[in-house]
Amino acid sequence: MIKKEILNLSLRHEQHISAYGERNERRLTGKHETANVDIFSRGLANRGCSIFVGGDLEKQGKGYLEDSLPQTWTHDLVTC
């Protein structure tokens, strides 16, 4: 189930990035533990990706995911 949701997130990456506000290309460079603004990625124990997944996902097929992209000036109701 959660893997399907990650796939759905990847298909809407550009739309989701636009909800995070302006200047994301300056912050999300793919360097310094940030994801690249243009590329959706998921990773296990990797803070430099779009979606960080917990170890349980790979082991048990269930677990949690964490959005690594938010910035401080986003509106919670827009990005949730």
Side-chain angles (χ1 to χ4, degrees):
M1 177 75 170
I2 197 167
K3 290 182 181 183
K4 180 181 174 186
E5 295 308 321
I6 292 171
L7 173 63
N8 289 336
L9 288 170
S10 72
L11 298 174
R12 295 178 184 88
H13 180 67
E14 188 174 320
Q15 176 186 355
H16 294 156
I17 286 293
S18 68
Y20 289 114
E22 300 175 3
R23 299 187 305 248
N24 287 308
E25 68 282 348
R26 293 176 64 194
R27 188 179 65 82
L28 298 172
T29 62
K31 300 176 183 175
H32 311 293
E33 292 191 351
T34 65
N36 184 304
V37 70
D38 297 316
I39 302 168
F40 179 87
S41 58
R42 81 175 201 49
L44 176 65
N46 177 1
R47 296 275 179 202
C49 59
S50 307
I51 298 293
F52 173 82
V53 297
D56 292 340
L57 179 65
E58 296 299 324
K59 293 176 188 170
Q60 301 172 4
K62 59 184 180 179
Y64 69 93
L65 60 87
E66 175 184 323
D67 183 355
S68 325
L69 300 176
Q71 50 193 5
T72 56
W73 55 82
T74 59
H75 189 289
D76 292 341
L77 296 177
V78 173
T79 55
C80 288

